[in-house]
Amino acid sequence: MNKKTIKDVSVKGKKCLVRVDFNVPIVNGEITDVNRIEGALPTIKYLLDNNAKVILCSHLGRPKGKFNLEFSLKPVAEKLAELLKKPVIFASDVIGEDAKAKVSALKEGEVLLLENLRFHNEEEANDKDFCIALASFCDIYVNDAFGTAHRAHASTAGIAQYGLAKESVAGFLIGKELEIMGGALENPKRPFVAILGGAKVSDKIGVINNLLDKVDTLIIGGAMAYTFESAMGYAIGGSKCEKDKIDLAKELMAKAKDKKVNLLLPIDHIIADAFAETANIKEVAVGDIPEGWQGLDIGTKTQKLFAEAVKCAKTVIWNGPMGVFEMKPFAGGTCAVAKALTESQAITIIGGGDSASAIQQLGYADKVTHISTGGGASLEFLEGIVLPGVDCLDNK
Ligand code: AMP
């Protein structure tokens, strides 16, 4: 990576403002998933061990620019203290009197968490005065929030874009994401297989386009596949299909042929007579979906076909479920792909979002090389877009 990281600067005694991604699910005041907090620990611990003064900031949910206790980061401060096994000072505002007082009283080796950045509309608006107020807290700005690195907000990009901190560097989490995903995209061990699923072709055009320039095999499942099947003249019944993307699907298939990419599409499907868990279900070959029925998952022959491609791969990137995995009868394809990845010897990368939840729910999280912490950010990265939260950081 050509961006400076916290290891490239001297942090001792310095006030480091660290943008983390503490946007965790909270139900009745309880944090139900601590993954994102754990993801930030290596950076926080490194800074504390090296006697920095650590000021953390994050957003949580969508409080729409208003102070709202329902979206307070206080429960996160408590959980972080538990995980770090040391006190975490909490500021009850972001750039207000409490934050200012606590920042100036902060000592080396101490950690402070500011209140939810999105209590200010200025955060998402990348307002310069808000950036100045945040930057006044620090000597060094550290971005470690990969999940929001595709957004040019005040705390994710503005401080560095406006040159307001003496140094602007990446934390370990962003460093790891870029190294693993960037490494796979730029210099993959081959065969390189990408598996894309999910709801819409339109959401993933950029990713498909970029990956067609890089992969040996591109697998397409999920609802996206029916637009391609329709483009090939197969009957798809009432399956999801983006009619206005059929020509594009044809172009993408032509590009795959041109680039000699092995494009794998489903050869059979699990179909249902309604979009419901309790619907009648059948397994049919591609092209055999009758009217009144819709494809909601890949079939068992497709599971084997996709698993076989994964077996031969040396690098695999997966983004998006193979079917409506939220409903048990249509989760088989997604589970099969997840299992194939865990059994593979390849570098296996899960590009965030639903595939990351699926891998975690199945208990396979420690059996893959890397699970990206950013859904939208990892998609944009796979698309080849330069992330503003990374672009703004100091070069080595
Ligand atoms: P995305 O956010 O694009 O990754 O899409 C994820 C969503 O796609 C999930 O909520 C799935 O239920 C949905 N999905 C996957 N396959 C199908 C399908 N065959 N029909 C309808 N929805 C699907």
Side-chain angles (χ1 to χ4, degrees), residues 197-201 203-204 221-226 239-240 269-270 275 294-298 319-327 330 334 352-355 379:
K200 289 189 186 159
V201 179
D203 287 347
K204 307 221 168 139
M224 275 203 302
Y226 305 98
S239 309
K240 266 197 172 184
H269 286 291
I270 305 294
F275 187 82
Q294 54 190 301
L296 294 180
D297 197 6
I298 56 172
N319 180 288
M322 295 292 102
V324 185
F325 75 111
E326 300 92 334
M327 296 186 201
F330 316 114
T334 303
D354 285 331
S355 343
L379 260 192

Side-chain angles (χ1 to χ4, degrees), residues 192-205:
F192 179 15
V193 176
I195 309 166
L196 295 178
K200 289 189 186 159
V201 179
S202 46
D203 287 347
K204 307 221 168 139
I205 299 166

